[in-house]
Amino acid sequence: MASLFPESHATLPPFTSLLVQGAYHASAPIHLALSLTRQSDSDALFISPSRQAITDTMQAYNDTWLNTHSGDGSTINASARVKML
């Protein structure tokens, strides 16, 4: 199931489209995209008004799970199917 958190039991109900708005941790959209691409063969589209701003924010947040697992095969495979605009 899709989630805004890594390896979480707090999953979202099934959906065909989703807009995430509010005060979530900086890497929540990435965790959502990775959870979606891991559970299906489809791609995920990540839209941000500023790619540089989201990159800077995520680097400042320094997500421990992403730092630990970004080199894992399953994470690399899932992240290759995330398109960021």
Side-chain angles (χ1 to χ4, degrees):
M1 297 292 298
S3 178
L4 295 168
F5 305 94
E7 301 175 354
S8 173
H9 296 290
T11 59
L12 298 169
F15 58 87
T16 55
S17 63
L18 177 70
L19 173 65
V20 177
Q21 181 179 352
Y24 291 94
H25 56 98
S27 59
I30 292 296
H31 288 295
L32 177 60
L34 291 174
S35 69
L36 290 170
T37 56
R38 277 193 176 122
Q39 72 184 21
S40 72
D41 291 330
S42 61
D43 292 350
L45 180 61
F46 181 121
I47 301 173
S48 174
S50 171
R51 186 178 185 150
Q52 187 61 51
I54 193 68
T55 300
D56 292 345
T57 302
M58 287 180 52
Q59 286 175 344
Y61 181 70
N62 198 22
D63 186 299
T64 303
W65 189 92
L66 287 176
N67 290 339
T68 303
H69 297 284
S70 61
D72 295 352
S74 63
T75 304
I76 291 170
N77 184 40
S79 65
R81 294 194 325 269
V82 176
K83 310 302 180 221
M84 187 174 191
L85 302 176

